[in-house]
Amino acid sequence: SSAQIGVVGMAVMGSNLARNFANHGYRTAIFNRTWAKTEAVLTAHPEAHFIASQTVEEFVDSLEKPRRIIIMVKAGAGTDATIDTLIPLLEPGDIVVDGGNAFFQDTRRREEKLRAHDLHFVGAGISGGETGALEGPSIMPGGSEHSYTYVGSMLEDISAKVPGPNGDEPCCTYIGTDGSGHFVKMVHNGIEYADMQFIGEAYDLLAGAGLSAAEAADVFAEWNTGDLDSFLIEITSEVLRQTDARTGKPLVDVIVDAAGMKGTGTWTVQESLTLGVPAASIAEAVFARAASSSPELRKAARSALEGPDGTVTVEDRAAFVEDVRQALWCAKVIAYAQGLHLIKVAAVEYGWDIDVAACARIWRAGCIIRAKLLDRISNEYAANDLETLLEAPSIKAMLAEANPSWRRVVARATEAGVPIPGFSSALSYYDLVRAERTNAALTQGLRDFFGSHTYRRIDTEGTFHTVWSGDRSEVEAVDTH
Ligand code: NDP
């Protein structure tokens, strides 16, 4: 009989996703450009009873109509090439889902292209790596609502689940039209970058205060039992506890301190710049990775620059560790606030009707940033109309309580020479957005001085200019900006 779902791309992600569908009882068709990969999957997983095809024509013929196809190939040219081979073989009403890490503007373009052929295109952000793909990822699908009625329940079936009062809640929900799903996935990754940077800074501070890697592992394990409970904190403890077999040292001490990246963090920052959304803590995380991977810069600066060596003198170690925990929680909240604000602004810009509470809800399991905090965030967005996460009743209260700790940590780190671009930018964001008045008044004065860019007054309507080069009187001006 014909297959209910077809998966294109039999590399690690696609094959695991196909097995996930099969495990949920779906008759699953598989196809890969290179047959050898399909053959290997068939041999390794006879239990899945895959319907395999050597040609894309056979593959398309093996699917029941309207056809549902998920593409899991190399993002970019691979996705476009796959789409181009499929289009002439498909019929109006068929649904193509791209589960790869596509840039959301590519998804918008592809959705438009397929729509012109009366085909549905769903850009689904999928997070959770290869384990998630097999056991239940977090899925962020964007496309027409009509297409979601055809593929939504299948995607929800294979997604991660969170136990709820009315049974298991799937970590998959309709996000919005065209590129919205991939946009939300992109922001998820941006938050993931920030989360990891903050964790690194917390570890630096603990190490600076004299904790060994194993002691820090214990601290992170302890933190994982409270408000910081999350996948990343949990695996931090595991990585810090790992001993290198060759040297007997902590593994973390023998890993080269140069972090790689594949681009989704950079996309998030680029998009925050394009939309004018302050997301400095996410940006700092991307820049920190860039700095780590700039050996020439670091070599030159290391030999040129003086300063304290990162040793943090603490009188009360337990109190300091608690301060760092609070600072880490605060910084994490700021990254979420920046990322979710970016989603909110993008939704207006691109015409998406995105439920921010739902985004937080489907990040609670399956994905890399899964965390206990997301329960609170999701509930707060569901219960309140929030401009920013930071005004949520329980969030603002916890930030207020943690404020002294957060400030102490930033001050101590600064004095000790521990680089904390994440913690400090997060605190600056907190102070910037809550400020009664900002230094932008002076900036605008300067802009008026050198460029006649004009300013508005706090006490009168209108646009004004001071005649800086003349008698310095004020005149009403035509707003040039
Ligand atoms: P890869 O990104 O390594 O891509 C390999 C697959 O793409 C192979 O099936 C390959 O076919 C196919 N492919 C490449 N170029 C073309 C082309 N021009 N035409 C047709 N097929 C092509 O596979 P992964 O499994 O690692 O990732 C798949 C997708 O999932 C990617 O978009 C990736 O970004 C995303 N991903 C998501 C992760 C997550 O956590 N959500 C983690 C990892 C990846 P062939 O065998 O013939 O070469």
Side-chain angles (χ1 to χ4, degrees), residues 8-15 31-35 37 71-79 81-82 98-102 125-130 137 185 262 368:
V8 181
M10 284 297 113
V12 56
M13 290 297 291
S15 57
F31 174 76
N32 192 70
R33 179 181 60 175
T34 310
W35 168 248
K37 237 174 232 158
I71 302 176
M72 282 307 275
V73 303
K74 200 171 176 58
T79 311
T82 303
D98 174 22
N101 264 336
I126 300 185
S127 174
E130 45 183 296
K185 169 64 186 353
K262 292 209 284 188
I368 307 299

Side-chain angles (χ1 to χ4, degrees), residues 7-323:
V7 182
V8 181
M10 284 297 113
V12 56
M13 290 297 291
S15 57
N16 278 357
L17 210 65
R19 290 171 61 201
N20 192 347
F21 278 113
N23 288 341
H24 280 83
Y26 291 107
R27 290 187 309 279
T28 307
I30 58 173
F31 174 76
N32 192 70
R33 179 181 60 175
T34 310
W35 168 248
K37 237 174 232 158
T38 309
E39 215 172 11
V41 172
L42 283 176
T43 309
H45 301 289
E47 78 287 350
H49 302 294
F50 286 132
I51 300 166
S53 297
Q54 301 223 18
T55 68
V56 67
E57 289 82 4
E58 279 174 59
F59 169 73
V60 167
D61 282 344
S62 74
L63 293 163
E64 65 181 37
K65 298 175 190 175
R67 299 178 180 88
R68 301 173 179 91
I69 296 174
I70 300 205
I71 302 176
M72 282 307 275
V73 303
K74 200 171 176 58
T79 311
D80 281 320
T82 303
I83 287 172
D84 288 343
T85 59
L86 286 172
I87 284 178
L89 304 172
L90 297 178
E91 291 168 75
D94 288 349
I95 299 135
V96 178
V97 180
D98 174 22
N101 264 336
F103 183 51
F104 79 100
Q105 296 285 22
D106 288 335
T107 303
R108 298 181 81 202
R109 168 176 60 75
R110 290 169 186 147
E111 197 275 333
E112 207 181 322
K113 179 172 174 175
L114 269 77
R115 191 150 29 93
H117 292 271
D118 290 324
L119 299 170
H120 295 287
F121 188 69
V122 175
I126 300 185
S127 174
E130 45 183 296
T131 312
L134 180 62
E135 295 173 3
S138 171
I139 308 179
M140 294 147 257
S144 67
E145 284 200 66
H146 177 83
S147 60
Y148 196 76
T149 62
Y150 283 98
V151 293
S153 65
M154 296 175 97
L155 296 178
E156 289 176 15
D157 271 353
I158 65 153
S159 74
K161 304 292 183 308
V162 179
N166 308 313
D168 282 350
E169 296 170 10
C171 288
C172 171
T173 193
Y174 176 66
I175 300 290
T177 50
D178 57 74
S180 60
H182 276 131
F183 190 94
V184 168
K185 169 64 186 353
M186 174 193 81
V187 174
H188 161 287
N189 285 32
I191 293 172
E192 173 187 318
Y193 274 60
D195 244 350
M196 289 170 68
Q197 173 62 21
F198 300 146
I199 287 171
E201 293 178 16
Y203 173 58
D204 254 354
L205 285 158
L206 298 180
L211 276 76
S212 68
E215 286 170 329
D218 290 341
V219 167
F220 278 97
E222 167 67 25
W223 287 353
N224 198 42
T225 64
D227 292 328
L228 282 172
D229 181 344
S230 62
F231 172 67
L232 283 171
I233 296 284
E234 179 193 328
I235 66 170
T236 297
S237 151
E238 294 201 30
V239 171
L240 289 176
R241 210 182 298 286
Q242 182 74 16
T243 301
D244 174 43
R246 289 201 225 181
T247 59
K249 293 181 182 172
L251 177 67
V252 70
D253 289 349
V254 300
I255 296 177
V256 172
D257 58 346
M261 44 186 168
K262 292 209 284 188
T264 47
T266 305
W267 288 347
T268 310
V269 177
Q270 283 169 338
E271 200 51 28
S272 76
L273 292 170
T274 302
L275 295 172
V277 174
S281 300
I282 296 173
E284 289 293 357
V286 175
F287 287 139
R289 287 201 199 181
S292 79
S293 298
S294 305
E296 293 84 5
L297 167 68
R298 290 177 62 190
K299 188 171 172 220
R302 192 155 51 220
S303 55
L305 304 178
E306 302 279 330
D309 69 356
T311 304
V312 188
T313 317
V314 296
E315 304 76 41
D316 182 343
R317 185 191 268 196
F320 179 71
V321 169
E322 174 57 12
D323 276 354

Side-chain angles (χ1 to χ4, degrees), residues 265-441:
T266 305
W267 288 347
T268 310
V269 177
Q270 283 169 338
E271 200 51 28
S272 76
L273 292 170
T274 302
L275 295 172
V277 174
S281 300
I282 296 173
E284 289 293 357
V286 175
F287 287 139
R289 287 201 199 181
S292 79
S293 298
S294 305
E296 293 84 5
L297 167 68
R298 290 177 62 190
K299 188 171 172 220
R302 192 155 51 220
S303 55
L305 304 178
E306 302 279 330
D309 69 356
T311 304
V312 188
T313 317
V314 296
E315 304 76 41
D316 182 343
R317 185 191 268 196
F320 179 71
V321 169
E322 174 57 12
D323 276 354
V324 174
R325 186 186 73 83
Q326 304 254 15
L328 179 53
W329 189 86
C330 293
K332 195 177 161 75
V333 165
I334 296 293
Y336 277 108
Q338 294 178 351
L340 295 173
H341 182 217
L342 180 57
I343 289 174
K344 219 175 140 81
V345 173
V348 174
E349 173 71 20
Y350 300 113
W352 301 323
D353 184 16
I354 298 185
D355 176 359
V356 177
C359 294
R361 196 169 69 235
I362 62 170
W363 289 343
R364 290 179 304 160
C367 64
I368 307 299
I369 64 171
R370 61 186 184 262
K372 190 174 150 189
L373 173 62
L374 282 160
D375 255 327
R376 182 187 298 275
I377 293 177
S378 166
N379 291 338
E380 287 284 15
Y381 270 99
N384 306 289
D385 180 22
L386 302 175
E387 182 59 35
T388 169
L389 172 64
L390 304 183
E391 63 178 323
S394 73
I395 296 281
K396 70 178 181 192
M398 285 175 79
L399 286 170
E401 202 182 304
N403 239 259
S405 292
W406 192 7
R407 291 179 194 282
R408 270 196 300 273
V409 166
V410 170
R412 310 275 318 252
T414 306
E415 279 166 5
V418 178
I420 47 155
F423 280 5
S424 58
S425 80
L427 182 54
S428 287
Y429 178 87
Y430 181 89
D431 286 334
L432 180 65
V433 295
R434 76 186 178 87
E436 207 59 55
R437 277 181 60 76
T438 73
N439 62 29

